[in-house]
Amino acid sequence: MTSKHHILSYCKIRNNTITLNEGVVFHEEDNSDFPTFIKSAYHHLETAYPKFFKMDDLSKLAFLATDILLKNEQLDEQNDNNIAVVFSNRASSLETDRAHQKTIQNSENYYPSPAIFVYTLPNICIGEISIKHKLYSENSFFIFDNFNADHLFDYANSLLEDRKADKVLCGWVEFDANHYDAFIYLVDKNGSIEHTPQTILKLYNT
Amino acid sequence: MTKVFVSHNNIISSLGFTTKDVVEKVSDEVSGIQLIDNPSLFNQKFYSSLVDKSILNQKFKALQPDSEYTLLEQMMISSLQSSVLASGIEIDNRVGLIISTTKGNVDALDQNNTFPKERAYLSELGKAVASFFNFKNDAIIVSNACVSGVLALAIAKRYISQGTYDHVFVVGGDLVTPFILSGFNSFQALSDTICQPYDANRKGINIGEVAVSALVTKNEGNLSEDAVEILGEASCNDANHISGPSRTGEGLFRSMQSAFRQAKIQPNSIDYISAHGTATSYNDEMEAIAFNRMQLQDVPMNSLKGYFGHTLGASGLLETVIGMNALKNNMLYTSLGFNELGVSKPINVIEKPQKTELTTFLKTASGFGGCNTAIILKKLKKND
């Protein structure tokens, strides 16, 4: 069976390395922590978006992966791009949830802040992406125990077949206690890679 | 095109533990919101709508659970039990489970909580609910801020249309916790009175808690009395701000446009709008602008936040179920807390209960992250 849709491009951020399709676009040799690594990557890739520094780590991860992938697609951002965003992970926004919990745990030292609290929702990273790339499109954030290619596949197909979107940006963006992993891919009518659960899983695992 | 229906359902809330009881209270204009003085939840008095935990406990014990469940899990399981039983559906591999929540068991992060911190992972909540009913498929958890409840229905429909499932049980729930109260308070979004959606004197939101469940199915047999068909749905982002709505209502407007396109009906076919109406200054104003852009300003509308407060990830599902009963009973329910129009565009807020023939309604929701959803539902059976 040939697939109706294709994967146009994909981007991964893991192990201090950023890859776009087959090629490495940024790599940091030393074992720097996530904040240092992502900041170096931001500068190296000439991201030039100061709001980036207000984001929590999950949003930074998802934002940068998306920015790299969509820049490469050379979208005309003066016009509407109907690209749906469908992200998933295991830990939701738990790392920022812990940060907010810390601000309210002790009544003697109570300092909840809207700047932290707003990021205690996983879909905020999709909001950040939508603002940057002017995406007035369908978005949803799913939580799964593990990367779930089957569900992302079904859901992307549904959005494309119902003409809710022209393209769908899917993926896994996980940030949990210093472990991070981003794998995003753009589904379109055309492209060189068949859109099937098997190919999605293969791209995720390699 | 597969027809998809929202059918058997249940609500667990401050206004009762069955949809029927809750709808009767709404019909009688009874609010579930009270002034709460509970320092273990919040360091000042606040208005909220809380589930009676002793009744919940009794109800849950009757299900003879064989392990420990968190408060939220008890609420979700109790609600789902009613919907599963009423549907008569056997849980096999064609039956899916979608859980809609913003924060799940986030209270497990608190040092004084007796559950392990791992319980705060939403997938653990999914496993707890799925295993209680022996679901053959893993729970799909939707966590998309305050639109989650409506979006979960749309997602259920999409998975059924794709042939992934024949039936999907959707359950939504969020608790009133120190985590949530402190956060919304830091935004200065909490009202120190009972909330007043669309009113000139509105001061912000009340947070409330519920668990709600509903069956979404393609099977036209054995539907509930209040069942509706999903004619169209959509979700669009504002692409504007992460914590404030668009001034032009762009995302909500586009969501409605897209939902109407799919439903293949015109806005003048809508008999009633169940809006989001959080009673914050910006949200209600944004909705009024979006409804006017859609030429829906004359359609009777309400916000149900004056009965339940804002119940976060469950609110859209809760308000859809009440809307289904509005259609079934041919009743427009009062938008509680509204006296004087406090938005810049005209809207037709329902000021007293009114009997009138209703067939089709629009449910909308908006949330942090700039997300918006709209769903159009049509009743199946004529009731008088």
Side-chain angles (χ1 to χ4, degrees), chain B residues 133-268:
Chain B
F133 295 94
N134 269 315
F135 273 90
K136 311 297 180 233
N137 295 294
D138 291 344
I140 297 170
I141 298 167
V142 181
S143 189
N144 218 72
C146 302
V147 310
S148 303
V150 182
L151 187 59
L153 291 172
I155 290 167
K157 175 191 160 225
R158 292 167 185 180
Y159 278 120
I160 290 172
S161 300
Q162 279 296 307
T164 314
Y165 304 119
D166 295 332
H167 316 279
V168 177
F169 285 97
V170 179
V171 61
D174 266 307
L175 287 181
V176 172
T177 57
F179 186 101
I180 285 296
L181 292 166
S182 61
F184 277 99
N185 190 54
S186 75
F187 263 102
Q188 300 183 317
L190 296 184
S191 175
D192 60 1
T193 58
I194 294 185
C195 67
Q196 295 186 272
Y198 310 110
D199 191 82
N201 295 313
R202 69 187 183 278
K203 293 178 173 176
I205 64 176
N206 307 137
I207 301 291
E209 64 190 11
V210 291
V212 184
S213 58
L215 169 69
V216 181
T217 177
K218 65 175 188 180
N219 195 344
E220 286 193 54
N222 191 34
L223 291 171
S224 62
E225 284 278 294
D226 55 1
V228 290
E229 183 186 346
I230 302 177
L231 297 184
E233 35 67 27
S235 158
C236 294
N237 201 284
D238 282 334
N240 176 64
H241 197 278
I242 54 168
S243 59
S246 156
R247 298 263 172 154
T248 58
E250 191 62 30
L252 179 56
F253 175 64
R254 288 178 185 236
S255 301
M256 291 189 285
Q257 272 189 322
S258 174
F260 277 106
R261 215 161 28 235
Q262 188 177 43
K264 297 192 175 70
I265 61 167
Q266 296 299 315
N268 62 15

Side-chain angles (χ1 to χ4, degrees), chain B residues 300 326 329-334 348 350-358:
Chain B
N329 298 329
N330 290 309
M331 280 292 292
L332 292 170
Y333 299 125
T334 307
N348 183 7
I350 303 163
E351 296 191 58
K352 55 179 193 297
Q354 194 189 327
K355 187 98 179 159
T356 182
E357 180 69 28
L358 300 174

Side-chain angles (χ1 to χ4, degrees), chain A residues 133-164:
Chain A
H133 298 283
K134 299 194 175 62
L135 301 179
Y136 299 96
S137 42
E138 282 277 344
N139 49 195
S140 48
F141 207 108
F142 293 105
I143 312 296
F144 295 114
D145 211 21
N146 291 292
F147 180 70
N148 195 324
D150 288 331
H151 276 292
L152 292 175
F153 173 75
D154 281 348
Y155 199 67
N157 283 344
S158 154
L159 291 172
L160 292 166
E161 284 163 24
D162 284 350
R163 300 187 182 193
K164 297 285 184 197

